[in-house]
Amino acid sequence: VLAGILATMNDSRTALDNSILEQAREEYQDLMFHAVIKRRSRIKEYTVIGLQDHTRADKEALDQYYEFIQELKERVQSR
């Protein structure tokens, strides 16, 4: 069972990434999660320093994952 498609590594500053995301949303519609995991250097740093939730950058990096988890839980519970 497929819960959905999660867009990751998105850089919303580039037209190409925006175009790819828009095309995926048109083609896969309800399969696409609303949450999008954006490319953030802070996430790479966690592999060295471990997960942290101290700074604004940490909160912004992690919030996108919290949003996805909430959306995934809602989809799973509704099935």
Side-chain angles (χ1 to χ4, degrees):
V1 175
L2 178 67
I5 300 169
L6 176 64
T8 63
M9 302 298 289
N10 181 271
D11 185 346
S12 59
R13 299 170 298 177
T14 69
L16 177 60
D17 281 14
N18 290 329
S19 175
I20 291 169
L21 182 58
E22 182 180 323
Q23 184 177 1
R25 289 196 188 282
E26 287 174 9
E27 190 166 335
Y28 298 106
Q29 299 173 7
D30 291 340
L31 279 177
M32 293 291 297
F33 285 101
H34 295 288
V36 175
I37 306 299
K38 296 179 178 142
R39 178 180 292 234
R40 297 202 184 262
S41 62
R42 190 67 177 151
I43 298 296
K44 291 181 192 176
E45 294 172 15
Y46 292 153
T47 59
V48 176
I49 62 174
L51 271 176
Q52 298 184 14
D53 191 11
H54 303 300
T55 67
R56 188 174 130 221
D58 290 329
K59 290 179 187 353
E60 288 175 357
L62 295 174
D63 277 351
Q64 58 191 352
Y65 289 93
Y66 295 141
E67 181 183 339
F68 165 65
I69 296 279
Q70 185 60 40
E71 190 174 353
L72 177 61
K73 285 169 47 178
E74 289 170 6
R75 283 191 187 197
V76 170
Q77 291 171 348
S78 70
R79 290 185 180 187

